Coordinates of all heavy atoms in Angstrom, one line a residue:
S204 N -21.6 -10.8 12.8 CA -20.7 -9.6 12.9 C -19.2 -10.2 12.6 O -18.9 -11.2 13.0 CB -20.7 -9.1 14.3 OG -19.7 -8.2 14.6
T205 N -18.5 -9.3 12.0 CA -17.1 -9.7 11.6 C -16.1 -8.8 12.3 O -14.9 -8.8 11.9 CB -16.9 -9.4 10.0 OG1 -17.1 -8.1 9.7 CG2 -17.9 -10.3 9.3
T206 N -16.4 -8.3 13.4 CA -15.5 -7.4 14.1 C -15.3 -7.9 15.6 O -15.0 -7.2 16.5 CB -16.0 -6.0 14.1 OG1 -17.4 -5.9 14.6 CG2 -15.9 -5.3 12.8
G207 N -15.5 -9.2 15.8 CA -15.2 -9.7 17.1 C -16.3 -10.1 18.0 O -16.0 -10.7 19.1
D208 N -17.5 -9.7 17.7 CA -18.6 -10.2 18.6 C -19.7 -10.8 17.7 O -20.0 -10.3 16.7 CB -19.2 -8.9 19.4 CG -19.6 -7.9 18.5 OD1 -18.9 -7.4 17.7 OD2 -20.8 -7.4 18.7
I209 N -20.4 -11.8 18.2 CA -21.3 -12.5 17.4 C -22.7 -12.0 17.7 O -23.6 -11.8 16.7 CB -21.3 -14.0 17.7 CG1 -19.9 -14.6 17.3 CG2 -22.4 -14.8 17.0 CD1 -19.6 -16.0 17.8
S210 N -23.1 -11.7 18.9 CA -24.4 -11.3 19.2 C -24.3 -10.2 20.2 O -23.6 -10.4 21.3 CB -25.3 -12.5 19.8 OG -26.5 -12.0 20.2
S211 N -24.9 -9.1 20.0 CA -24.7 -7.9 20.9 C -25.3 -8.2 22.3 O -25.0 -7.6 23.3 CB -25.4 -6.7 20.3 OG -26.8 -6.9 20.1
G212 N -26.3 -9.0 22.3 CA -27.0 -9.3 23.5 C -26.0 -10.0 24.5 O -26.3 -9.9 25.8
Q213 N -25.1 -10.7 24.1 CA -24.2 -11.5 24.9 C -23.2 -10.5 25.6 O -22.6 -10.8 26.6 CB -23.4 -12.5 24.2 CG -24.3 -13.6 23.7 CD -23.5 -14.6 22.8 OE1 -22.3 -14.3 22.4 NE2 -24.0 -15.8 22.7
A214 N -23.0 -9.3 24.9 CA -21.9 -8.4 25.4 C -22.3 -7.8 26.8 O -21.4 -7.4 27.5 CB -21.7 -7.3 24.4
G215 N -23.6 -7.8 27.1 CA -24.0 -7.2 28.4 C -23.8 -8.2 29.5 O -24.0 -7.9 30.8
N216 N -23.5 -9.5 29.2 CA -23.3 -10.5 30.3 C -22.0 -10.4 30.9 O -20.9 -10.5 30.3 CB -23.5 -11.9 29.6 CG -23.6 -13.0 30.6 OD1 -22.8 -13.1 31.6 ND2 -24.7 -13.8 30.5
L217 N -22.0 -10.2 32.3 CA -20.7 -10.0 33.0 C -19.8 -11.2 32.8 O -18.6 -11.1 32.8 CB -21.0 -9.7 34.5 CG -21.6 -8.3 34.7 CD1 -21.9 -8.1 36.2 CD2 -20.8 -7.2 34.2
L218 N -20.4 -12.4 32.8 CA -19.6 -13.6 32.7 C -18.8 -13.6 31.3 O -17.7 -14.0 31.3 CB -20.5 -14.8 32.8 CG -19.7 -16.2 32.7 CD1 -18.7 -16.3 33.8 CD2 -20.8 -17.3 32.7
V219 N -19.5 -13.2 30.3 CA -18.9 -13.1 29.0 C -17.8 -12.1 29.0 O -16.6 -12.4 28.5 CB -19.9 -12.8 27.9 CG1 -19.2 -12.6 26.6 CG2 -20.9 -13.9 27.8
I220 N -18.0 -11.0 29.6 CA -17.0 -9.9 29.6 C -15.8 -10.3 30.4 O -14.7 -10.2 30.0 CB -17.6 -8.6 30.3 CG1 -18.7 -8.0 29.4 CG2 -16.5 -7.6 30.5 CD1 -19.4 -6.8 29.9
G221 N -16.1 -10.9 31.6 CA -14.9 -11.5 32.4 C -14.1 -12.5 31.7 O -12.9 -12.5 31.7
S222 N -14.8 -13.4 31.0 CA -14.2 -14.5 30.3 C -13.3 -14.0 29.1 O -12.1 -14.4 28.9 CB -15.1 -15.5 29.7 OG -15.9 -16.1 30.7
V223 N -13.8 -13.0 28.4 CA -13.1 -12.4 27.2 C -11.8 -11.6 27.8 O -10.8 -11.8 27.2 CB -14.0 -11.5 26.5 CG1 -13.2 -10.7 25.4 CG2 -15.1 -12.2 25.7
V224 N -12.1 -10.9 28.9 CA -10.9 -10.1 29.4 C -9.8 -11.2 29.9 O -8.6 -10.9 29.7 CB -11.3 -9.2 30.5 CG1 -10.1 -8.6 31.2 CG2 -12.3 -8.1 30.0
L225 N -10.2 -12.2 30.6 CA -9.3 -13.2 31.1 C -8.5 -13.9 29.9 O -7.3 -14.0 29.9 CB -10.0 -14.3 31.9 CG -9.2 -15.4 32.4 CD1 -8.1 -14.8 33.5 CD2 -10.0 -16.4 33.1
V226 N -9.3 -14.3 28.9 CA -8.7 -14.9 27.7 C -7.7 -14.0 26.9 O -6.7 -14.4 26.5 CB -9.7 -15.5 26.8 CG1 -9.1 -16.0 25.5 CG2 -10.6 -16.6 27.4
S227 N -8.1 -12.7 27.0 CA -7.3 -11.8 26.2 C -5.9 -11.4 26.8 O -5.1 -10.8 26.3 CB -8.1 -10.4 26.1 OG -9.2 -10.6 25.3
C228 N -5.7 -12.0 28.1 CA -4.4 -11.8 28.7 C -3.3 -12.5 27.9 O -2.2 -12.2 28.0 CB -4.4 -12.3 30.1 SG -5.5 -11.3 31.3
V229 N -3.8 -13.5 27.1 CA -2.7 -14.2 26.4 C -2.6 -13.6 25.0 O -1.6 -14.0 24.2 CB -3.2 -15.7 26.2 CG1 -3.4 -16.4 27.5 CG2 -4.5 -15.8 25.3
A230 N -3.4 -12.6 24.6 CA -3.2 -12.0 23.3 C -1.8 -11.4 23.0 O -1.3 -11.6 22.0 CB -4.3 -10.9 23.2
P231 N -1.2 -10.7 24.0 CA 0.1 -10.2 23.7 C 1.1 -11.3 23.4 O 2.0 -11.1 22.5 CB 0.5 -9.4 24.9 CG -0.8 -9.1 25.6 CD -1.7 -10.2 25.2
L232 N 1.0 -12.5 24.1 CA 1.9 -13.6 23.8 C 1.7 -14.1 22.4 O 2.6 -14.4 21.7 CB 1.7 -14.6 24.8 CG 2.0 -14.3 26.3 CD1 1.7 -15.5 27.2 CD2 3.5 -13.9 26.4
L233 N 0.4 -14.2 22.0 CA 0.1 -14.7 20.7 C 0.6 -13.8 19.6 O 1.2 -14.2 18.6 CB -1.5 -14.9 20.6 CG -2.1 -16.0 21.4 CD1 -3.6 -16.0 21.3 CD2 -1.6 -17.4 21.0
I234 N 0.3 -12.4 19.8 CA 0.8 -11.5 18.8 C 2.3 -11.5 18.7 O 2.9 -11.5 17.6 CB 0.3 -10.1 19.2 CG1 -1.2 -10.1 19.1 CG2 0.9 -9.0 18.3 CD1 -1.9 -8.8 19.5
A235 N 3.0 -11.6 19.8 CA 4.5 -11.5 19.8 C 5.0 -12.8 19.1 O 6.0 -12.8 18.4 CB 5.0 -11.4 21.2
G236 N 4.4 -13.9 19.4 CA 4.8 -15.2 18.8 C 4.6 -15.2 17.3 O 5.5 -15.7 16.6
G237 N 3.4 -14.7 16.9 CA 3.2 -14.6 15.4 C 4.0 -13.7 14.7 O 4.5 -14.0 13.7
A238 N 4.3 -12.5 15.4 CA 5.2 -11.6 14.7 C 6.7 -12.1 14.6 O 7.3 -11.9 13.6 CB 5.3 -10.3 15.5
S239 N 7.1 -12.9 15.6 CA 8.4 -13.4 15.6 C 8.6 -14.4 14.3 O 9.7 -14.6 13.8 CB 8.8 -14.2 16.9 OG 8.0 -15.3 17.1
L240 N 7.5 -15.1 14.1 CA 7.6 -16.1 13.0 C 7.5 -15.4 11.6 O 7.9 -16.0 10.6 CB 6.4 -17.0 13.0 CG 6.3 -18.0 14.1 CD1 5.0 -18.8 14.2 CD2 7.5 -18.9 14.2
L241 N 7.1 -14.2 11.6 CA 7.0 -13.4 10.3 C 8.3 -12.7 10.0 O 8.6 -12.4 8.8 CB 5.9 -12.4 10.2 CG 4.5 -13.0 10.3 CD1 3.4 -11.8 10.2 CD2 4.2 -14.1 9.2

Side-chain angles (χ1 to χ4, degrees):
S204 171
T205 60
T206 52
D208 57 309
I209 297 172
S210 174
S211 62
Q213 293 178 342
N216 190 308
L217 291 178
L218 180 60
V219 173
I220 296 177
S222 300
V223 171
V224 173
L225 180 62
V226 172
S227 296
C228 291
V229 304
L232 298 178
L233 293 171
I234 293 175
S239 66
L240 292 176
L241 294 184

